[in-house]
Amino acid sequence: SKEEMQRTVLGFIPKLDSVGELARGGRDGRNFFLDLSSAMNEMYTNEYAVSEKVWIRREQVRAAIEQVMSNSREFPPGTKVAVFGSSANGFGSPNSDLDLCLSIPASAADFTKDGRGVEAMTNLASKFTAAGMRDVNTERLTARIPIVKFNVPYNDNGTEILVECDLSLQNPLALLNTSLLRTYATISPMTCVLASIIKRWAKSRDINNPSKHTLSSYGYILMLTYFLKNARRGDGNPILPNLQWVDPLWAQNPTTPYREIASKPKSPQTLVAHPTLENYVVNSYFYRQGLEGLQKYCADNNSQVPSVFCLHLSSTTLQLTLGKIYLLKIIDNYLPQ
């Protein structure tokens, strides 16, 4: 039975009906959710929030790589080096590696299709070594999306830091996914706090490694945003608006019942060819302008961080282990005794 499985695997039977009691202050009158919210925010601030100093470092490293690329004259004019992934989407940490890609202008789209791109990246790798970058690795240049791995030395007030970098070739969907998540992080910092808790738990359980057939951190973030877009507030509106479908008129003044558009707008700017699937076009549209209304809308949810998290646990397979063990560890580590 379910109870026997819980007792065998976990060593206890979760008391799921206790959440309501906790919401009312618990038996001792202590507001568990406020304590939990404080612990979550403190952990995020101490371990995951990225300071302005780190953002500056990343931009200086990106600019240095772009300068080497430009000087190499291996790529079409107008090629840029762009940051994507956890170092740019708002869901990373100060220690995130720097994922970058060479963004080839549309006028030179064929550059990546006839082998010239891989040859140019091979030549660029040698330029990186000459420029003082270390541990340059070209083993993945033959992958579907060619990648060069290397470390960039950075002087941080007299202390040398090695910034780990992965440079790929023409990865437009990665840039768009980064922009989408960055917009969610901008309108709802609460989502970043929740994501940091889930990512930390998944890493501690070694279940965030695609090479071991588990989800990546990106996958967990997608699960979280999906849940928040489907979970409802007391007024019936979603906790997190769906940026790919939200009605722009509602988003500018979200004081009425939530509305979505019937179909996504299509334009040359939103239709993007998939980098690895031939003859497959992606409509990358999402709402990204005039975010002030959505920021205010999401700010009203900040007090619901703990309850939202408990709902997330109740709706996923993370519930059993995380609910009993990990939340207690967070509270023990970060709440005043």
Side-chain angles (χ1 to χ4, degrees):
S1 68
K2 179 179 178 181
E3 289 188 356
E4 291 175 346
M5 181 276 293
Q6 292 170 340
R7 189 178 298 280
T8 300
V9 175
L10 300 174
F12 65 95
I13 298 175
K15 297 181 179 180
L16 301 181
D17 59 350
S18 63
V19 172
E21 183 175 307
L22 290 171
R24 293 188 292 271
R27 297 177 182 176
D28 59 359
R30 183 180 183 183
N31 194 320
F32 175 81
F33 280 169
L34 286 180
D35 290 345
L36 182 57
S37 179
S38 175
M40 287 180 175
N41 281 295
E42 185 173 351
M43 190 195 80
Y44 176 78
T45 300
N46 291 343
E47 301 185 23
Y48 288 89
V50 179
S51 66
E52 184 66 21
K53 178 181 178 181
V54 174
W55 286 116
I56 292 173
R57 178 203 305 163
R58 289 173 178 172
E59 171 54 25
Q60 290 178 344
V61 170
R62 184 209 66 79
I65 295 170
E66 186 172 271
Q67 188 63 53
V68 175
M69 181 275 299
S70 297
N71 292 342
S72 73
R73 301 182 182 276
E74 295 285 348
F75 297 87
T79 299
K80 300 293 183 181
V81 173
V83 182
F84 69 93
S86 58
S87 289
N89 64 21
F91 288 89
S93 72
N95 300 319
S96 296
D97 296 344
L98 205 55
D99 293 315
L100 312 106
C101 78
L102 292 162
S103 186
I104 309 297
S107 58
D110 291 340
F111 182 80
T112 62
K113 298 179 180 179
D114 57 9
R116 285 185 296 164
V118 173
E119 180 181 354
M121 289 194 71
T122 302
N123 295 334
L124 179 61
S126 64
K127 301 291 195 305
F128 284 157
T129 301
M133 298 173 187
R134 303 177 189 172
D135 306 317
V136 180
N137 186 329
T138 60
E139 291 179 357
R140 295 186 60 186
L141 276 178
T142 57
R144 287 186 303 171
I145 296 180
I147 295 175
V148 176
K149 301 173 71 71
F150 54 96
N151 295 326
V152 177
Y154 181 85
N155 189 321
D156 184 18
N157 294 326
T159 301
E160 184 180 83
I161 297 174
L162 288 180
V163 181
E164 296 184 29
C165 299
D166 290 357
L167 179 66
S168 58
L169 177 64
Q170 193 67 349
N171 200 348
L173 285 184
L175 295 177
L176 289 165
N177 288 338
T178 297
S179 182
L180 175 61
L181 289 184
R182 182 65 190 172
T183 306
Y184 278 122
T186 299
I187 67 172
S188 178
M190 173 198 73
T191 305
C192 299
V193 177
L194 295 178
S196 69
I197 301 291
I198 293 173
K199 288 169 59 178
R200 183 182 174 112
W201 169 80
K203 183 176 182 179
S204 72
R205 292 290 179 269
D206 196 24
I207 54 172
N208 69 331
N209 188 344
S211 67
K212 295 182 179 179
H213 310 291
T214 58
L215 288 176
S216 65
S217 294
Y218 178 65
Y220 283 107
I221 294 171
L222 292 183
M223 289 175 63
L224 174 63
T225 57
Y226 177 83
F227 167 75
L228 294 176
K229 287 182 286 189
N230 286 275
R232 299 288 159 173
R233 312 191 311 180
D235 60 6
N237 285 344
I239 292 174
L240 188 66
N242 189 332
L243 293 175
Q244 293 166 293
W245 291 99
V246 65
D247 186 328
L249 294 178
W250 182 89
Q252 294 168 24
N253 185 28
T255 57
T256 58
Y258 177 70
R259 296 195 309 272
E260 292 188 346
I261 52 179
S263 60
K264 293 182 182 180
K266 294 182 180 180
S267 70
Q269 289 72 38
T270 63
L271 297 178
V272 179
H274 196 281
T276 59
L277 299 178
E278 193 173 351
N279 300 322
Y280 187 81
V281 177
V282 177
N283 185 353
S284 64
Y285 167 83
F286 66 90
Y287 181 82
R288 66 180 83 185
Q289 296 181 339
L291 300 178
E292 294 81 5
L294 292 183
Q295 287 176 310
K296 185 177 184 305
Y297 173 88
C298 292
D300 294 339
N301 299 328
N302 286 341
S303 62
Q304 302 180 29
V305 169
S307 55
V308 166
F309 191 63
C310 288
L311 283 172
H312 185 58
L313 299 181
S314 298
S315 66
T316 69
T317 55
L318 301 182
Q319 172 199 327
L320 299 178
T321 302
L322 190 53
K324 175 68 177 182
I325 302 173
Y326 195 66
L327 295 185
L328 295 179
K329 286 185 177 180
I330 294 172
I331 294 172
D332 288 343
N333 289 338
Y334 288 95
L335 285 184
Q337 300 298 318

